[in-house]
Amino acid sequence: MMIASEIATLRETVQQWKRDRLRVGFVPTMGALHEGHISLVRQALQACDRVIVSIFVNPTQFNDPTDLAAYPRTEHADGRLLHAAGAHMLYTPDAASMYPSGFSTTVHVSGLSEGLCGAFRPGHFDGMATVVTKLLIQTQADCAFFGEKDFQQLQIVRRLVTDLDIPTEIVPCATWREADDLAMSSRNRRLTAQGRETAARLPAAMRTAAAALAGGSAVGTVLATLRATLEQAGFEPVEYAELREAADLQPQGIVTDGCRLLVAAWIDGVRLIDNMPVSLR
Ligand code: PAF
């Protein structure tokens, strides 16, 4: 596996791959890799001839400096995992090359960025959209693979690629889960043993709510029960527990095909997010 930290090296390599008519896949990450990331790499390897994985802990998408400082960094283990998975290139730009002095451009996707996580993490989606735009332009990838766990992020990226005519196909990938159904996340490793045990009650409560919604129960009642269940389990705060239309993320008062149940809640000082599809039985 080749390791590049310079944009010039990345570009030269990708240009050669394109001259050789190879299909280039891209998996953007912030490192602290787990099996969920590796599943994205495997899907990319199935669909593409060459796969680039980036690791860049993007400072502009952290609205809280303590969260940025606490973000796990496991470069050596990440490199070993990617090598074993068969990635062709690890791209590790540094902050000075991504945001050189005088950098003044922000990509803002209005509407989609505003509610849900956007309401609780001001500036997060602008930072994410800006760095993803840069990474897609830098890698010139034919396809980029994004996990559905960050569902709002996925929809924002789809929108910006369409709006900015970026010729990269965005491939959504199913959320990878632990044996007890907790969605895999780099943040899970910050949970205490007790917090980790409680965390599994998040997907369990969401599945109960999704089943009630699919069975025709009133949306407001189900969401209020879900919130109360999580609070009783020890989640504090529950930032949101909402039913949204999947593509445009508009609030849904009734269940229709293509709805998504989305939750963000804190346990043990760690912010967890999860989402799942809901449709009428
Ligand atoms: O999902 C992530 O890990 C990040 O938001 C991403 C897409 C790598 C951009 O920094």
Side-chain angles (χ1 to χ4, degrees):
M1 181 179 71
M2 184 177 173
I3 301 180
S5 54
E6 306 290 327
I7 296 174
T9 317
L10 169 73
R11 284 218 172 109
E12 265 168 44
T13 309
V14 172
Q15 276 163 11
Q16 185 57 52
W17 288 344
K18 299 244 162 168
R19 278 195 293 274
D20 295 341
R21 299 188 172 281
L22 297 172
R23 190 167 167 77
V24 178
F26 175 48
V27 180
T29 82
M30 297 205 298
L33 303 182
H34 49 68
E35 196 48 37
H37 294 110
I38 300 305
S39 77
L40 302 183
V41 175
R42 283 199 209 102
Q43 288 180 68
L45 284 165
Q46 269 173 12
C48 301
D49 305 302
R50 292 290 179 273
V51 172
I52 305 168
V53 179
S54 65
I55 295 184
F56 178 60
V57 183
N58 176 33
T60 66
Q61 69 185 75
F62 286 82
N63 50 307
D64 174 359
T66 49
D67 190 25
L68 173 60
Y71 201 82
R73 286 164 173 83
T74 56
E75 293 89 354
H76 294 297
D78 292 349
R80 281 195 295 273
L81 280 175
L82 293 174
H83 178 70
H88 298 92
M89 184 195 277
L90 168 57
Y91 176 50
T92 56
D94 61 16
S97 68
M98 287 302 262
Y99 301 112
S101 152
F103 188 89
S104 320
T105 302
T106 298
V107 177
H108 174 72
V109 179
S110 58
L112 286 171
S113 300
E114 259 82 70
L116 302 170
C117 292
F120 293 90
R121 302 188 67 192
H124 165 68
F125 285 125
D126 286 0
M128 181 282 294
T130 304
V131 84
V132 167
T133 304
K134 282 178 67 86
L135 289 166
L136 293 179
I137 292 170
Q138 290 175 357
T139 58
Q140 301 283 303
D142 297 295
C143 309
F145 297 76
F146 286 81
E148 284 185 339
K149 176 173 164 279
D150 294 288
F151 197 75
Q152 190 173 11
Q153 165 172 285
L154 169 66
Q155 303 305 29
I156 291 169
V157 170
R158 282 175 151 161
R159 184 77 255 164
L160 77 84
V161 161
T162 304
D163 289 354
L164 300 179
D165 304 313
I166 296 176
T168 304
E169 182 193 341
I170 302 302
V171 183
C173 302
T175 301
W176 212 252
R177 293 180 181 277
E178 305 283 358
D180 63 2
D181 207 24
L182 179 66
M184 287 193 186
S185 165
S186 305
R187 292 171 194 273
N188 292 352
R189 63 185 84 188
R190 282 163 50 194
L191 292 165
T192 60
Q194 169 76 54
R196 173 64 190 79
E197 211 173 289
T198 310
R201 296 174 73 176
L202 173 62
M206 290 178 69
R207 290 204 189 280
T208 304
L213 291 167
S217 300
V219 172
T221 312
V222 173
L223 295 180
T225 305
L226 171 57
R227 183 178 273 273
T229 305
L230 292 173
E231 285 167 355
Q232 275 157 24
F235 289 87
E236 170 61 35
V238 177
E239 287 184 350
Y240 60 80
E242 296 201 25
L243 186 71
R244 297 283 177 119
E245 202 282 321
D248 63 12
L249 299 182
Q250 286 302 303
Q252 286 289 105
I254 52 163
V255 178
T256 55
D257 276 340
C259 281
R260 208 93 192 172
L261 179 64
L262 301 108
V263 174
W266 291 72
I267 186 78
D268 221 6
V270 178
R271 185 175 187 275
L272 301 180
I273 56 171
D274 201 351
N275 69 87
M276 45 192 67
V278 178
S279 44
L280 273 180
R281 241 181 245 131

